[in-house]
Amino acid sequence: MSRCAWPLLRRLPARAGLAFRHGRPAAAALSSPSSPSSSSSGDGGSRAPDTSLFVPVPLKPGGAAGEDVGAELTRPLDKGEVLKNLNKFYKRKEIQRLGAENGLDARLFHQAFISFRKYIMESSSVSADLHIILNDICCDAGKGHVDDLFPFFLRHAKQIFPMLDCMDDLRKISDLRLPPNWYPDARAIQRKIIFHAGPTNSGKTYHAIQRFLSAKSGIYCGPLKLLAHEIFQKTNDANVPCDLVTGEERVYANEDARQAPHIACTIEMCSTNTPYEVAVIDEIQMIRDPARGWAWTRALLGLCAEEIHVCGEAAAVDLVTELMYTTGEEVEVRNYKRLTPLTVLDYALESLDNLRPGDCIVCFSKNDIYSVSRQIEARGLECAVIYGSLPPGTKLEQAKKFNDPDDPCKILVATDAIGMGLNLCIRRIIFNSIVKPTVNEKGEKEIDSIPTSQALQIAGRAGRFGSSFTQGEVTTMYREDLVQLKEILSDAVPSVKAAGLHPTPEQIEMFAYHLPDATLSNLIDIFVSLSQVDGMYFVCNIDDFKFLADMIQHIPLNLRSRYVFCTAPLNRKEPFVCTTLLKFARQFSRNEPLTFDWLCRHTKWPLAAPKNIKELVHLEAVHDVFDLYLWLSYRFMDMFPDAALVRDIQKKLDDIIQIGVRNITKLIRASQSAAAPGAAEVVSEDFPTTKRDARVASDRHGAKSPEALSIAVEAPALRRARSPRASRSGTRQEDLKSYGRGSLANRLLREGLLTQEMLRQLESEWQDQHRNGRYGFGSKRDDQHSSKETGKKRK
């Protein structure tokens, strides 16, 4: 198999293409040894399907193509009498019971009857046998009974709900209870599993990589492109030829593009049918991730390597040990301790005037990133900025700027994107907030306190071994957050309980064979509804896949192509990227290649340096579009032929974005000056839940304005209500975003998350804080006052 083809054909559905045949699948695919249907026992269980997902197939009423044979044998039907008897048939308890025995619950029975009645009443003629039965029931009472309609009704029900006729087969296909059997190549060898367990900055990955370098062949599987790039670079610098494989990029160590014995890749791109001496799986605790956990499960169970070195938190040891027990493989655990001390300070930063070289302020929204970075530079300090949607090149450039001892930039403002993938010389981590938007196990968005695992991951970036800072420190921006941060960091990391799964390409292919008229989104829904997993696994979230499936459903594509487009990695919050994917799919469906000129025309390339934040955000979206083009070019090489040209302009775009990020304070100032009075500070992706809300309102409306007071009261109330130690009842992020269009305090009162007494207390606290000059860093005067107060206390 070619070097570019193997990642596509062997990947799971959430990230890669699907090796579909045109039309129905070949017999070989249907009897694939990796399919769970060949290894599941029994009839797959008796789990009741979610029939709300069953979409009826429309049937057109019959017409008289020739003579009405039924009428010729008997007489024309009296439609009035037919309707009376059909309704009598529907009300029969015996008929409803028979329907339930044949898979028709109350919902399906009702839908099937409505369709059956409509079909008969609107048809100019029906089949001769049905016509005769109806005639006997309506005209010759002694000859027929309404119960005689049941076989015809059941036949009609199975025509509009084809899944009823193959439910046993569908249950077997969607049985996910034996994932180890999906990988026969891995089961054919006896693998040695070594778990390197420890916190951030403990050297666990270093020891695994040393074994990787000494092996004759190896594969490194990391969670991010940046980590794969780093290992790729280090391995080649050590004179060990190593290739790089990500969804959008293939870089060969050999000039003739021969495959090197070592590969560094993103975990979704690992091959499960290529033999290696050593494999390294990094950040194994992400096996519990609700969206990407399936990739770690697949690598752990499926990699064909003599030694599997697993790196990550000790919280995942028990689950990995249990999973390997099902494969007959033992796990050797090597525990590591942190190499440098990490101290949680007893005081908060409280003012940006107290910043020191090597400080990193961690925010959980772009809005906070923009706000904090501007206030830092207003104090005459330079800061680097890193957040998730920045291109990898820009992230590396900002990290290099911050790490350079000769560069005047000594402060970093970043999101949790620094948690893994970048080497940073940080002295002190400062949490600007301890709440962030999250996605729960149901796929619902909430705002909640950061979990212990993530807090430790971020805090552990301070005081990196081998850097200029041998000791790390952690604190918060606000005094009231510090107590809760200490509680979070002192909590034990919950054990990883289950590993993520996703349907394999072969399973979806077989589902499509049985349900050829179902949409891809509906197909996936039915699969998940019927799927069965044991206690060690869960089915990963499929919302992004379904979003894309629904978006391109109207475009005529064959199943294979449709599936690949739906697995494209993009952020559905970015309208420009989603719209461009739609254009890609439409052009593809016309069998017209997407050329370099076509892409430049639709992205308006060349692009100028951004003049404000809105333009910077658009440039980041265009960079994502170029990534999308490159990702598709490795799956449809003929239809996306200009990957090399696109890669060249993507590098130029990266340079333009770097210019924008270096001048981010000017962009923020330009955005604010262009905004209407009273408008939001900058475009925000997430609901701001920290005291910054009150700061912004105070600056804009005056310290004692109702607007400032309202936001000041609502933000702490929300934080207190959403604390995991106060309540887990969860407020939806969509609801939170409406805080500016009504009183959040009133809504929290209605929902029982806030009392009038709490509201009065919060108002009193806010007024006391403002009178005492401890309100945060809303203005320079307040900061200076706060700094003096803090100085007096320390003295």
Side-chain angles (χ1 to χ4, degrees):
M1 187 175 290
S2 70
R3 178 69 179 80
C4 295
W6 64 260
L8 169 64
L9 296 179
R10 297 299 300 174
R11 296 178 69 202
L12 284 173
R15 293 284 175 190
L18 179 61
F20 284 109
R21 285 82 171 159
H22 292 284
R24 293 190 170 188
L30 291 173
S31 59
S32 169
S34 64
S35 169
S37 61
S38 63
S39 58
S40 59
S41 60
D43 59 1
S46 56
R47 177 178 176 179
D50 181 0
T51 56
S52 65
L53 302 173
F54 291 5
V55 179
V57 177
L59 294 181
K60 293 182 179 179
E67 298 179 359
D68 188 346
V69 178
E72 182 180 339
L73 292 174
T74 57
R75 70 190 75 178
L77 293 173
D78 181 345
K79 290 297 179 80
E81 285 295 320
V82 169
L83 182 59
K84 288 180 186 178
N85 283 282
L86 285 175
N87 290 336
K88 188 186 300 182
F89 169 84
Y90 174 71
K91 294 175 182 177
R92 295 268 296 162
K93 296 295 183 184
E94 293 83 354
I95 296 299
Q96 294 175 13
R97 180 179 53 77
L98 281 172
E101 290 176 359
N102 284 274
L104 292 170
D105 62 12
R107 174 197 295 270
L108 294 186
F109 183 85
H110 177 73
Q111 286 184 280
F113 174 75
I114 296 298
S115 175
F116 182 58
R117 185 177 63 186
K118 181 180 178 182
Y119 178 82
I120 291 176
M121 297 305 295
E122 294 183 1
S123 295
S124 57
S125 65
V126 295
S127 62
D129 50 354
L130 176 56
H131 185 109
I132 293 170
I133 292 294
L134 287 170
N135 182 75
D136 289 346
I137 295 170
C138 296
C139 302
D140 297 314
K143 291 186 178 180
H145 191 276
V146 290
D147 289 359
D148 296 338
L149 289 173
F150 184 77
F152 301 96
F153 166 72
L154 185 60
R155 182 174 66 188
H156 182 90
K158 290 184 176 181
Q159 284 180 300
I160 65 170
F161 295 115
M163 58 284 296
L164 293 174
D165 222 11
C166 55
M167 191 59 68
D168 288 343
D169 289 335
L170 296 181
R171 281 199 175 98
K172 289 178 181 178
I173 295 168
S174 58
D175 191 330
L176 306 179
R177 290 178 294 183
L178 294 171
N181 291 356
W182 302 354
Y183 308 102
D185 292 344
R187 300 291 77 78
I189 60 176
Q190 187 65 29
R191 306 179 307 169
K192 181 179 180 181
I193 314 296
I194 302 170
F195 196 124
H196 301 264
T200 304
N201 198 17
S202 60
K204 58 185 183 297
T205 306
Y206 169 81
H207 287 90
I209 293 301
Q210 292 304 112
R211 180 66 186 96
F212 170 78
L213 293 173
S214 65
K216 294 178 182 177
S217 63
I219 182 170
Y220 168 85
C221 306
L224 301 171
K225 286 186 282 187
L226 281 175
L227 277 172
H229 271 275
E230 180 184 345
I231 300 302
F232 162 75
Q233 195 66 49
K234 284 184 176 180
T235 306
N236 283 292
D237 289 347
N239 294 319
V240 177
C242 179
D243 294 341
L244 174 69
V245 178
T246 69
E248 302 84 16
E249 193 173 11
R250 309 288 188 276
V251 181
Y252 300 104
N254 299 314
E255 294 182 359
D256 57 358
R258 283 184 297 106
Q259 183 172 323
H262 287 71
I263 291 175
C265 67
T266 46
I267 193 157
E268 288 88 356
M269 298 303 297
C270 70
S271 167
T272 57
N273 62 350
T274 305
Y276 302 101
E277 182 181 346
V278 170
V280 177
I281 304 174
D282 209 355
E283 305 294 350
I284 187 62
Q285 69 275 1
M286 289 191 71
I287 200 169
R288 67 181 164 204
D289 187 84
R292 297 178 64 200
W294 62 268
W296 277 264
T297 305
R298 174 175 173 268
L300 183 63
L301 297 178
L303 282 173
C304 298
E306 298 170 23
E307 288 182 27
I308 307 282
H309 290 257
V310 178
C311 307
E313 297 175 359
V317 169
D318 289 345
L319 177 64
V320 171
T321 302
E322 194 173 355
L323 292 176
M324 293 301 96
Y325 178 79
T326 65
T327 65
E329 297 161 336
E330 294 184 0
V331 179
E332 176 189 339
V333 180
R334 299 178 185 176
N335 291 297
Y336 300 82
K337 294 184 178 180
R338 186 176 166 85
L339 298 173
T340 57
L342 181 66
T343 304
V344 182
L345 300 178
D346 293 326
Y347 56 89
L349 189 71
E350 299 195 88
S351 170
L352 295 179
D353 291 331
N354 298 325
L355 286 172
R356 305 198 307 260
D359 279 350
C360 171
I361 301 178
V362 177
C363 307
F364 294 113
S365 75
K366 276 188 184 180
N367 205 22
D368 284 345
I369 289 278
Y370 298 148
S371 174
V372 172
S373 59
R374 178 178 179 182
Q375 293 175 69
I376 289 173
E377 296 204 5
R379 287 160 168 77
L381 302 173
E382 285 192 37
C383 67
V385 175
I386 296 175
Y387 50 87
S389 58
L390 284 178
T394 304
K395 289 177 186 173
L396 290 172
E397 193 262 350
Q398 291 289 297
K400 182 179 178 182
K401 180 182 178 182
F402 174 71
N403 289 336
D404 187 353
D406 299 324
D407 196 290
C409 172
K410 299 301 179 188
I411 308 296
L412 176 64
V413 184
T415 63
D416 51 339
I418 65 164
M420 59 182 77
L422 288 170
N423 290 321
L424 298 163
C425 298
I426 298 172
R427 179 204 300 270
R428 180 170 59 172
I429 289 285
I430 302 156
F431 284 90
N432 188 59
S433 170
I434 54 173
V435 296
K436 67 168 290 187
T438 59
V439 178
N440 64 21
E441 63 276 4
K442 297 179 181 178
E444 299 170 336
K445 295 176 183 176
E446 298 179 346
I447 288 184
D448 208 344
S449 299
I450 55 175
T452 298
S453 174
Q454 186 178 29
L456 289 170
Q457 186 89 25
I458 296 170
R461 306 299 290 180
R464 184 175 180 82
F465 180 76
S467 72
S468 53
F469 303 117
T470 56
Q471 293 189 356
E473 298 174 341
V474 185
T475 188
T476 58
M477 179 65 73
Y478 307 108
R479 200 180 312 168
E480 63 268 28
D481 287 340
L482 188 56
V483 173
Q484 191 171 349
L485 178 65
K486 288 182 176 180
E487 290 179 20
I488 292 172
L489 292 176
S490 63
D491 285 348
V493 178
S495 297
V496 180
K497 299 296 184 183
L501 288 178
H502 236 295
T504 66
E506 292 81 8
Q507 290 165 333
I508 299 303
E509 185 178 30
M510 288 187 284
F511 244 60
Y513 173 79
H514 285 289
L515 304 174
D517 296 317
T519 66
L520 188 53
S521 177
N522 187 232
L523 208 76
I524 292 290
D525 271 336
I526 295 173
F527 186 100
V528 173
S529 170
L530 292 175
S531 64
Q532 295 183 89
V533 295
D534 64 27
M536 291 187 292
Y537 300 97
F538 67 93
V539 179
C540 284
N541 190 291
I542 55 170
D543 286 350
D544 287 346
F545 182 95
K546 287 176 55 186
F547 171 81
L548 295 180
D550 290 333
M551 187 175 73
I552 66 172
Q553 179 57 39
H554 66 286
I555 297 176
L557 296 168
N558 62 51
L559 184 57
R560 173 190 178 273
S561 301
R562 187 179 303 280
Y563 197 97
V564 173
F565 273 95
C566 291
T567 56
L570 58 78
N571 183 355
R572 57 176 172 165
K573 292 181 182 178
E574 297 177 347
F576 180 76
V577 183
C578 294
T579 302
T580 307
L581 177 68
L582 198 60
K583 293 178 180 178
F584 282 177
R586 190 174 291 116
Q587 181 84 349
F588 183 94
S589 70
R590 300 187 190 114
N591 202 30
E592 297 176 6
L594 290 94
T595 63
F596 176 74
D597 291 339
W598 185 94
L599 184 64
C600 290
R601 203 163 54 247
H602 283 80
T603 56
K604 295 181 171 56
W605 181 264
L607 296 165
K611 297 183 180 63
N612 52 49
I613 288 295
K614 183 178 179 181
E615 291 184 6
L616 176 61
V617 171
H618 177 68
L619 291 181
E620 293 167 6
V622 174
H623 192 280
D624 288 346
V625 166
F626 291 164
D627 261 349
L628 183 61
Y629 183 98
L630 295 172
W631 189 89
L632 289 166
S633 73
Y634 286 106
R635 282 111 185 125
F636 306 111
M637 296 181 184
D638 293 341
M639 297 300 291
F640 295 81
D642 296 330
L645 295 173
V646 173
R647 199 176 300 283
D648 288 340
I649 64 171
Q650 189 182 42
K651 291 176 182 176
K652 295 176 182 177
L653 178 59
D654 201 336
D655 293 338
I656 295 171
I657 293 174
Q658 288 179 31
I659 295 171
V661 173
R662 281 197 295 268
N663 299 315
I664 196 164
T665 299
K666 294 179 182 177
L667 302 187
I668 297 169
R669 194 179 301 120
S671 297
Q672 289 178 326
S673 62
E681 189 175 1
V682 286
V683 177
S684 175
E685 289 184 343
D686 307 311
F687 177 74
T689 58
T690 65
K691 274 190 174 178
R692 178 182 54 77
D693 304 317
R695 255 195 338 274
V696 173
S698 179
D699 290 344
R700 188 178 299 130
H701 301 292
K704 296 183 180 179
S705 71
E707 294 91 340
L709 182 59
S710 174
I711 297 177
V713 170
E714 289 169 4
L718 173 66
R719 297 222 319 273
R720 193 170 293 183
R722 289 299 300 125
S723 166
R725 292 158 182 82
S727 170
R728 286 284 182 186
S729 57
T731 304
R732 297 286 297 273
Q733 186 185 10
E734 291 83 357
D735 296 332
L736 297 171
K737 283 189 176 181
S738 65
Y739 79 103
R741 298 189 293 275
S743 173
L744 178 60
N746 286 340
R747 187 158 64 254
L748 292 174
L749 286 168
R750 288 196 305 270
E751 294 173 359
L753 299 175
L754 186 65
T755 66
Q756 290 288 353
E757 181 58 32
M758 290 171 63
L759 194 60
R760 284 192 291 271
Q761 184 181 348
L762 290 166
E763 182 177 349
S764 175
E765 287 177 2
W766 182 84
Q767 290 172 341
D768 289 344
Q769 286 174 336
H770 189 78
R771 280 197 299 269
N772 296 332
R774 298 194 303 269
Y775 187 64
F777 51 95
S779 66
K780 192 170 183 178
R781 181 172 56 82
D782 287 343
D783 282 343
Q784 290 170 348
H785 190 88
S786 176
S787 182
K788 289 176 183 177
E789 290 290 322
T790 305
K792 287 178 184 178
K793 288 182 180 180
R794 287 180 182 169
K795 288 179 183 178

